[in-house]
Amino acid sequence: MGSARQVNIAIIGAGGVGRCFLSQLEQLVKRRPEPKLALVYISTSKKAFYTKDYTTIVLNSAVSNLASSTETPLAPAALADYLTGSSSKAIIVDNTSSQDVADAYPLFLSRGISIVTPNKKAFSGSYKLWKDIFSASAQSGARVFHESSVGAGLPVISTLKDLVDTGDEVTKIEGVFSGTMSFLFNSFAPTSGSGGQWSAEVKKAKELGYTEPDPRDDLNGLDVARKLTILARLAGLEVESPTSFAVQSLIPKELESVASGDEFLEKLPQFDSEMEKVKAEAEAEGKVVRFVGSIDVGTKQVKVGLEKFDRSHPIAALKGSDNIISFYTKRYGSNPLIIQGAGAGGEVTAMGVTSDLLKVLSSLS
Amino acid sequence: MGSARQVNIAIIGAGGVGRCFLSQLEQLVKRRPEPKLALVYISTSKKAFYTKDYTTIVLNSAVSNLASSTETPLAPAALADYLTGSSSKAIIVDNTSSQDVADAYPLFLSRGISIVTPNKKAFSGSYKLWKDIFSASAQSGARVFHESSVGAGLPVISTLKDLVDTGDEVTKIEGVFSGTMSFLFNSFAPTSGSGGQWSAEVKKAKELGYTEPDPRDDLNGLDVARKLTILARLAGLEVESPTSFAVQSLIPKELESVASGDEFLEKLPQFDSEMEKVKAEAEAEGKVVRFVGSIDVGTKQVKVGLEKFDRSHPIAALKGSDNIISFYTKRYGSNPLIIQGAGAGGEVTAMGVTSDLLKVLSSLS
């Protein structure tokens, strides 16, 4: 039946982040015998593997068990029934980017099941879903943590929560929130040297695996808009959705509707002069251009798009595909609290999920 | 008697940080009615004020009650008896920098009393005390948090713990860990312009309240050594004490034994040529000099002292009295995870204490 000293884990999603998380969980279980973490359920969008009696799935065979399984995933209500059928507490680890899974969070939480996830959809969708999630959590006492929804494993969400919860007044949040955009602009408009052609840098980023399969899914700015929505809400603004504020897309209008990412990449060089102009304008002021997001809490203004920065500005001096997030607050005064480092990648994203899992465990003990 | 839904708070220390904490606690109690936080004891090194029946002291009269009290502080064992005499859980907030209070942590923790504190002494004293603290905590389940012992409210300790607890391998930690040293070197050897005379900058820092009453207490490097000791231990090194590794003192030998801070400041200009030489050597390499601490986990080497940095290095580009801490880890690769911002000051130090208090409360619920 599962014992009280056991905590049941259900993992949804077994892609890049999911596999890194599984491997971190395996290490964690070796280091920390108490409480006993039992992986009882794992699923993708098509398949599921789980134990009827809540015995643990051997962690290093979870992926192969899943591959050979003929079961389909449980619907949210059935998954909740399954998990609450044990006397042990349960935690769902959602390693998908699925809106459907996100929509089920209020149900899971209301049934006392805690959630840890890097899935942005739950926290950047409708404001109603946001409210439903946190009120379900407040009522049942089940916890929900989502550190990796912004900046992967970087301590961004926890730091913002700490600032707000201890009564500081956050006045502005600004930064580079996309590893892809960071890489593109650090190469296209470096602080020293002239940088590459825009279309060539986009192509290179895709080849290095830094973009989505269709690079337009990065260049439309929506990923950054989702992260800004999450931070703005945590800072107290009732942002309705990631499309309810100004988001600058770097997709030329003429290429918005071309059929494929490949066709997009093929035609992008025709529009290089537009980005060159933007770069030259910044250079004329002794600056460089970067793709940033900002939240002005006082004026409730959320913005995503291109801005110019002095070459000595921390945002200009970023390296590789690093993120940087600056929190301006009343207590910190004119110099912001800054967090910087890799904001994408399976291992660091899974790290945020694992550390969230440890936070839930600490609150259960 | 105090109820189970009540959590009793005992504050030791009512100086700069203590008063900021009291004000943050007052705001916190207004925002969060549950659990009921009851300040039952407050003391300085000379006086104490507490309620025999665990009713709460009105927060905004705690300092005046303390000032007019004729009671002396309870000895550690008596304080533990007093706090465990209530049916409510208890948390001690140690806002002192007292070694005596730190030495009593194992006693408090073994009696089930949790501790939150910015006091470095407990975690940077003997390695035996460190072990006694964490084994007492592990045995009783009482929690101990000390975010503000390094970098004030910056999320330094929690981030390092998350890295280690999720199984990342920390290879190197490097940074500027002293607001005073940061201010001194940012003014003495700025990245652009020539900067001031060393002795004049020390005098200015003292006048601005950025140094201890005797500036030698900053210039001897011990404060940084204590912080490095804490981080090295969290990274897994058994550092015996803050004097068991190389610490460079910026006090000229001849001035180590002069009677007062004032006499020290008066005579310091005689030694300006030494610091000018250090600055010129760095400049000849196109670099600037900074006072940094570093921990190489692999070679177990901990160092505190002067080092040269390229002008574009984040450590060189620091502003004001900001701290910067870089974590190099296996998962983060060549670009470190960086945390930067004000690392000193009453409000931000108290913020770390308040957020630690929230972590303890979350684990009690």
Side-chain angles (χ1 to χ4, degrees), chain B residues 133-313:
Chain B
I133 286 171
F134 291 101
S135 67
S137 163
Q139 273 179 2
S140 73
R143 313 296 296 263
V144 52
F145 289 108
H146 55 102
E147 183 61 76
S148 286
S149 63
V150 179
L154 296 174
V156 176
I157 302 276
S158 54
T159 297
L160 178 54
K161 275 191 186 167
D162 281 348
L163 290 166
V164 171
D165 290 348
T166 62
D168 200 355
E169 197 181 300
V170 179
T171 52
K172 187 178 162 188
I173 304 171
E174 180 183 57
V176 172
F177 294 90
S178 153
T180 313
M181 290 294 198
S182 181
F183 176 85
L184 285 175
F185 283 90
N186 299 342
S187 315
F188 170 65
T191 51
S192 62
S194 60
Q197 285 292 105
W198 175 250
S199 59
E201 294 300 342
V202 175
K203 201 167 164 226
K204 193 166 105 193
K206 166 147 195 207
E207 284 162 6
L208 288 168
Y210 288 171
T211 70
E212 297 292 325
D214 185 336
R216 287 176 295 182
D217 291 335
D218 295 294
L219 297 175
N220 65 11
L222 183 59
D223 170 72
V224 177
R226 286 194 177 278
K227 292 169 181 165
L228 272 275
T229 300
I230 296 172
L231 297 181
R233 286 172 177 175
L234 287 173
L237 299 184
E238 294 191 9
V239 175
E240 186 45 46
S241 82
T243 54
S244 64
F245 52 87
V247 178
Q248 183 177 3
S249 166
L250 298 186
I251 308 171
K253 278 227 154 35
E254 296 84 343
L255 300 185
E256 269 172 3
S257 50
V258 299
S260 70
D262 286 340
E263 191 185 341
F264 168 75
L265 277 176
E266 199 178 289
K267 293 185 171 163
L268 189 58
Q270 299 168 23
F271 301 87
D272 274 343
S273 61
E274 290 179 18
M275 288 298 286
E276 276 303 318
K277 200 177 143 212
V278 169
K279 176 153 85 171
E281 275 173 13
E283 273 172 4
E285 297 177 36
K287 296 184 176 181
V288 292
V289 65
R290 293 289 182 266
F291 193 86
V292 297
S294 66
I295 300 162
D296 186 315
V297 179
T299 64
K300 302 187 179 183
Q301 199 173 35
V302 185
K303 273 195 310 189
V304 173
L306 294 172
E307 286 190 33
K308 298 170 209 157
F309 292 88
D310 285 332
R311 286 163 196 279
S312 65
H313 193 286

Side-chain angles (χ1 to χ4, degrees), chain A residues 24 28 31 143 153-155 159 162-167 319-320 322 331-332 335-342 347-348 351 354-355 358-359 362-363 365, chain B residues 24 28 31 143 153-155 159 162-167 319-320 322 331-332 335-342 347-348 351 354-355 358-359 362-363 365:
Chain A
Q24 290 183 18
L28 182 68
R31 288 196 309 274
R143 313 297 296 261
L154 296 175
T159 298
D162 281 349
L163 289 167
V164 171
D165 289 349
T166 63
K319 290 200 170 63
D322 278 5
R331 283 187 199 137
Y332 277 89
N335 291 354
L337 189 171
I338 299 176
I339 292 166
Q340 182 179 333
E347 282 292 349
V348 293
M351 175 201 146
T354 305
S355 87
L358 289 170
K359 289 192 178 85
S362 149
S363 76
S365 68
Chain B
Q24 291 183 19
L28 182 68
R31 286 196 308 276
R143 313 296 296 263
L154 296 174
T159 297
D162 281 348
L163 290 166
V164 171
D165 290 348
T166 62
K319 291 202 170 64
D322 278 5
R331 284 189 197 136
Y332 277 90
N335 291 354
L337 189 172
I338 299 176
I339 291 164
Q340 182 179 330
E347 282 291 347
V348 293
M351 176 200 146
T354 305
S355 89
L358 289 170
K359 290 193 178 83
S362 150
S363 76
S365 68

